[in-house]
Amino acid sequence: MASAEAIRKELQHTGKYMMQYDLAWGNAGNISARTEGDRYVVTASGTFLGELEEADLIECDLSGNVYGAEGRKPSKETPMHRAIYESRPEIGAVLHASPFYTTLIACSDLELPSNMFVETMYYLERIERVPYYHPGSDALGEGVREKAKLANVLLLENHGVVVYDTSIREARMALQTLEVASRMLITSMSAKVGIQGLGPETERDFLEKAGYKPRRNWSL
């Protein structure tokens, strides 16, 4: 695992990346990464992801303790982050945001297909929905916990999305893939251009044999 300092720097980079590529806006969104043992760092409440300072990343543990915050509070969405780390020990980073096209799908009854292209087959192999709960509530944390083992992408209805993976980089790539796929789907519908996805056998063959990336272990 990378050092705590390196993890903090990568989170700062990720915040800028998310703003640059329209994966987040304003002070909406919060991100975190596991450091060591049962500890992780998460953005402070009210932070702007595009300009994260060292003090904007607060260390917490899975018991709910906060370290060295100097009067700052961790994001109110911390229960959601903690639920994922507790449910999935292999997860190294959690990104929560409300990118435009993805959030549009989260506010609709549209289903996002995973069979459009290579990246969607891998990163979007499984997507689950979490019913609406108020942001930052324990109920939302528990709603996320219920679905955390079923997928690495959770659409939060009428709210946004939470994406998580083994590393910050993988989570970042999954989030961008999700937004591109969402934009492609909605644009194709508006233009009345049908998307011809790959068949289930082809998709399964890709995941098992193509060697693009090792297939995820869903037996957790």
Side-chain angles (χ1 to χ4, degrees), residues 86-108:
E86 288 175 341
S87 302
R88 299 281 298 277
E90 85 284 11
I91 292 300
V94 177
L95 308 180
H96 166 52
S98 302
F100 182 87
Y101 289 95
T102 298
T103 303
L104 183 53
I105 288 181
C107 293
S108 75

Side-chain angles (χ1 to χ4, degrees), residues 130-185:
V130 176
Y132 177 82
Y133 299 101
H134 293 323
S137 65
D138 289 338
L140 176 57
E142 290 308 305
V144 166
R145 187 187 303 278
E146 276 188 34
K147 300 293 183 72
K149 292 184 178 181
L150 303 178
N152 278 19
V153 176
L154 302 182
L155 293 176
L156 309 179
E157 294 185 347
N158 302 93
H159 184 168
V161 67
V162 60
V163 174
Y164 40 99
D165 216 312
T166 54
S167 69
I168 300 171
R169 180 176 181 273
E170 286 293 288
R172 189 171 63 232
M173 291 176 68
L175 180 61
Q176 188 165 33
T177 299
L178 175 66
E179 178 67 355
V180 168
S182 298
R183 183 175 183 177
M184 183 179 294
L185 176 63

Side-chain angles (χ1 to χ4, degrees), residues 115-127:
N115 61 354
M116 289 191 284
F117 50 90
V118 168
E119 287 77 12
T120 60
M121 286 192 288
Y122 178 75
Y123 286 110
L124 310 184
E125 180 187 2
R126 291 190 180 189
I127 299 175

